Amino acid sequence: MTFTRNPYLITKAMRNFLWASILTMALTQINTTVDGIIVSHLVAPDALSAVNLYMPISLLITSFGNLFGVSATIVAARALGERDKDRVEHLLSTAVLSIIVVGVLIAVAGFLFRNGISDLICHEERLRPYFISYMSVMMSFSVITMMSVLSNESVSIDGHPELVTKSISLTAVCNAVLDLVFVGALDMGIAGSAYATICATTINILFLSRHLYGKRCSFRIHPFAKADWKSLGENSIQGTPLITSNLILTAMFLLMNNIIQDKQGADGMFTLSVCINLLSIGMMFSSGVGSATLTIGGFLRGQQDFVGLRMLVSKAVKWLFVSLIVIACVIFLFPGLISSLFGANTPELTLYADRVLRIFAPMLPFILLTLMLANVYQMLSYMTLTVVVAVMFPVILIPSLLIWPEIAGNDAIWYAFPTTGVLVMVLTFFITEVYKMRKGNVTHLTLVPIATEEEESAFNISVQANEEKVSQSLGSIHEYLSHTGVDKKLSHDIALCIEELLLNIVHHAGRNMQSHYIDVHIHMHEGKMLASVKDDGRAFDPIHFDIEKRQAGLKLLNGLCPELDYQYMYGQNMTFMSWNENDNENEKSI
């Protein structure tokens, strides 16, 4: 019987991570939106505009957080797939120190150059007091916001995005309560909203630290050591596309805010603030899918599992595009409700915002899908392409904002948004087709490898979790191993270990497993035979299970495999086995 790879576990892993990630993004966006609504209603609609004016600085801070923090988790996800936990620890320890240093420098810059920054960003005098109050607090505590992102990503790559969701839920509730206390009860104004955000973010870090320094975490973040200097360079190289695109986005928001202020005044800034909030809601889906692709995809790539990687990316792209179309339709159909929610308090402002939102909505599917594709390209190490795709949005938008008023008057400036969306998508498709012609065996648009040398020589199947299918699969496993050229005894040991794992899953993984699938992946890499077995049954660690209670199968597994590793990730048991190809030859010579 011929066995193939079934998308069952990949789909389940993606759903497990995706829903947790999207819920996390949703709660984060709700957090931000509630901030905006409270500030707009309890302080003034101009306060919401001031928060939006802070966006370029926020993106700049995010750029440094990405350069030293998020980039480290991208490489670390791949290292976890390769089972190189020492490298993971070096990467993350370096990230922590880097963020602390950068956070201190940002706080000092915010204190010394507060007025200069305000002059550069805020041109409307009536918005300036709000902007300075908000900016001063947020820049002073930027290290907390960057460290929070690193904590979220570190727990996610360890396979527990649901913990991040719980933590963000707690953070969102705390932020809303503190907003009402600081802004409402204590009358601290817009600064109170900033303090509420910082306090809630600190709670997020403390909550996740329980996992990162607990027994369940598969790695440890130790104090910075000399050996970590190499990781600093690796983090910086991986983070170059992130900081480049974020710096350009920072410039885009700065220029966009200035152009809208000059062409459309305070009402234009309010409406732009609503648009940016809606863009952020779309980013909730785009970033959620992108995060799942970066983390799970990096893990699969580290295992050289390109079959699973193609399944993951294909499903992610289709799901995201459909979701974004739905969001765009909702905005187009109900602009009045949305603008009123954000504090449009006059008929003239509501009518103005309604028109703009309908023009803005068609841009979202194109832009956000492209930004998610940039995550795919980064995960695949297409660094130049990542930067090119990520910066197309600002590079096209800013000239469009300048050209449309010249062609059709100031009120036509909003047509720059849908124009940018279409052009970005068309150019992305064209550029990736050029890449495909050069690379050869890669998929359209996503550029995932179709057939690598290691993939063609690997054994990669899914087996239904019942005795009959497992028994049939053993023949295929023996046949594959017999053609690898490894020693017969080693081949026998590998097959026996996999057999014991498969039977253990069938007998003990839980009820109703008959329709579930187990993934088996065997391949040779750098002189080692590597095998992994994954299932979604009840959590069970075959390595650290009580020695006294082990049955013959588990004793056999632990005796025949010199390198065993287990991790429970994305709701799945993952057992990794490794044998040096020459182990048995050395035994014979002895």
Side-chain angles (χ1 to χ4, degrees):
M1 181 177 179
T2 302
F3 288 86
T4 58
R5 183 68 177 273
N6 188 285
Y8 172 78
L9 284 180
I10 292 292
T11 302
K12 190 157 187 177
M14 188 180 81
R15 286 176 181 167
N16 181 287
F17 192 104
L18 190 57
W19 288 118
S21 183
I22 287 178
L23 186 54
T24 298
M25 297 291 176
L27 290 167
T28 302
Q29 181 54 38
I30 289 170
N31 204 5
T32 304
T33 303
V34 168
D35 261 356
I37 291 171
I38 289 175
V39 163
S40 183
H41 285 280
L42 295 185
V43 182
D46 283 348
L48 176 61
S49 299
V51 173
N52 187 64
L53 284 172
Y54 178 74
M55 186 69 73
I57 302 174
S58 178
L59 282 171
L60 184 62
I61 293 170
T62 300
S63 298
F64 288 109
N66 287 344
L67 176 63
F68 298 114
V70 176
S71 61
T73 62
I74 293 171
V75 182
R78 197 180 309 154
L80 278 176
E82 296 168 351
R83 315 314 302 157
D84 188 351
K85 294 181 181 179
D86 285 341
R87 187 177 171 209
V88 174
E89 292 171 359
H90 287 308
L91 289 164
L92 297 182
S93 298
T94 304
V96 170
L97 179 66
S98 302
I99 284 174
I100 291 172
V101 172
V102 172
V104 170
L105 293 175
I106 291 172
V108 171
F111 177 76
L112 294 178
F113 305 109
R114 178 175 60 180
N115 292 330
I117 294 170
S118 177
D119 291 339
L120 178 66
I121 294 176
C122 186
H123 295 175
E124 283 279 338
E125 284 301 321
R126 81 185 207 194
L127 302 179
R128 190 182 294 268
Y130 299 116
F131 174 73
I132 291 177
S133 294
Y134 190 80
M135 176 195 70
S136 298
V137 177
M138 294 303 292
M139 288 189 71
S140 296
F141 295 98
S142 61
V143 65
I144 292 177
T145 58
M146 289 188 287
M147 200 67 75
S148 176
V149 174
L150 177 61
S151 300
N152 293 344
E153 295 298 323
S154 297
V155 173
S156 291
I157 65 168
D158 195 42
H160 295 282
E162 75 285 353
L163 288 180
V164 180
T165 304
K166 291 178 182 177
S167 183
I168 296 296
S169 300
L170 176 63
T171 302
V173 172
C174 291
N175 187 51
V177 172
L178 291 172
D179 266 335
L180 294 173
V181 172
F182 292 164
V183 181
L186 299 181
D187 197 23
M188 294 172 65
I190 194 172
S193 177
Y195 281 118
T197 299
I198 296 301
C199 290
T201 303
T202 303
I203 292 170
N204 178 56
I205 297 171
L206 294 174
F207 183 91
L208 294 178
S209 294
R210 295 173 57 209
H211 172 81
L212 291 172
Y213 292 96
K215 294 181 179 180
R216 293 178 62 192
C217 191
S218 61
F219 50 80
R220 287 289 178 270
I221 303 177
H222 53 68
F224 186 83
K226 290 183 178 179
D228 294 331
W229 282 111
K230 180 181 177 183
S231 299
L232 178 60
E234 193 171 7
N235 288 356
S236 300
I237 292 170
Q238 184 69 35
T240 299
L242 291 170
I243 192 169
T244 302
S245 58
N246 273 328
L247 287 174
I248 293 176
L249 281 172
T250 301
M252 180 197 80
F253 275 99
L254 179 60
L255 292 170
M256 180 172 63
N257 288 343
N258 289 343
I259 293 169
I260 294 297
Q261 285 179 87
D262 293 341
K263 301 290 185 182
Q264 298 290 303
D267 285 351
M269 269 309 302
F270 169 80
T271 306
L272 178 64
S273 300
V274 177
C275 291
I276 297 305
N277 272 276
L278 295 174
L279 178 64
S280 298
I281 291 172
M283 284 291 292
M284 157 182 97
F285 290 90
S286 179
S287 298
V289 175
S291 180
T293 305
L294 274 172
T295 304
I296 302 175
F299 187 81
L300 292 170
R301 188 185 170 204
Q303 292 183 278
Q304 303 296 308
D305 184 1
F306 290 103
V307 176
L309 185 57
R310 287 195 298 274
M311 291 177 177
L312 172 74
V313 172
S314 176
K315 288 180 177 294
V317 170
K318 291 174 183 175
W319 190 92
L320 176 63
F321 193 68
V322 171
S323 300
L324 293 175
I325 290 292
V326 172
I327 291 171
C329 289
V330 170
I331 296 171
F332 190 85
L333 293 173
F334 306 105
L337 179 62
I338 294 170
S339 61
S340 298
L341 180 65
F342 280 94
N345 53 9
T346 66
E348 293 79 15
L349 181 57
T350 302
L351 188 63
Y352 176 84
D354 289 0
R355 171 180 167 272
V356 173
L357 291 180
R358 283 200 167 101
I359 296 171
F360 175 81
M363 180 194 75
L364 292 179
F366 300 110
I367 290 297
L368 294 177
L369 178 61
T370 305
L371 292 178
M372 178 265 170
L373 288 172
N375 289 328
V376 175
Y377 305 143
Q378 182 168 15
M379 180 265 296
L380 294 169
S381 298
Y382 299 130
M383 295 304 180
T384 303
L385 180 60
T386 302
V387 174
V388 170
V389 171
V391 304
M392 277 196 294
F393 176 30
V395 167
I396 294 174
L397 178 61
I398 296 303
S400 297
L401 288 169
L402 296 172
I403 291 170
W404 270 103
E406 295 299 322
I407 295 174
N410 284 350
D411 286 346
I413 194 171
W414 303 105
Y415 289 105
F417 290 101
T419 302
T420 300
V422 173
L423 286 176
V424 165
M425 195 71 249
V426 170
L427 285 173
T428 300
F429 185 80
F430 175 77
I431 293 169
T432 53
E433 285 301 299
V434 173
Y435 259 76
K436 178 174 169 56
M437 287 192 299
R438 291 180 179 177
K439 294 284 182 182
N441 293 329
V442 293
T443 55
H444 289 285
L445 195 61
T446 56
L447 302 180
V448 181
I450 292 176
T452 65
E453 187 176 335
E454 284 206 27
E455 179 185 329
E456 290 179 341
S457 62
F459 181 79
N460 204 341
I461 65 168
S462 299
V463 185
Q464 271 189 282
N466 60 66
E467 286 195 35
E468 180 185 356
K469 297 299 181 184
V470 166
S471 177
Q472 292 172 355
S473 73
L474 295 177
S476 299
I477 293 171
H478 280 286
E479 183 181 353
Y480 166 76
L481 291 171
S482 67
H483 288 93
T484 58
V486 299
D487 177 80
K488 285 187 177 180
K489 182 180 183 306
L490 179 57
S491 176
H492 176 267
D493 289 351
I494 295 171
L496 196 55
C497 288
I498 294 174
E499 178 181 355
E500 292 303 331
L501 274 174
L502 292 175
L503 291 173
N504 189 70
I505 292 167
V506 169
H507 294 149
H508 304 292
R511 297 178 179 177
N512 304 318
M513 286 289 292
Q514 295 292 314
S515 59
H516 295 209
Y517 283 83
I518 309 166
D519 283 354
V520 180
H521 186 208
I522 313 170
H523 70 290
M524 185 172 291
H525 182 67
E526 297 180 351
K528 286 190 172 185
M529 286 299 296
L530 305 174
S532 65
V533 176
K534 304 176 187 176
D535 73 280
D536 64 333
R538 65 165 61 102
F540 178 75
D541 183 350
I543 304 169
H544 300 102
F545 189 69
D546 189 342
I547 296 177
E548 300 297 325
K549 296 180 181 179
R550 287 180 184 174
Q551 300 297 318
L554 284 184
K555 291 178 181 178
L556 200 64
L557 171 66
N558 283 271
L560 292 179
C561 183
E563 294 182 42
L564 265 174
D565 194 14
Y566 167 85
Q567 195 164 356
Y568 189 78
M569 301 176 69
Y570 317 124
Q572 296 174 21
N573 297 289
M574 301 186 182
T575 305
F576 304 93
M577 297 164 281
S578 175
W579 294 263
N580 286 318
E581 189 181 1
N582 298 321
D583 279 351
N584 283 287
E585 292 178 9
N586 293 336
E587 286 178 14
K588 287 178 182 178
S589 63
I590 293 171

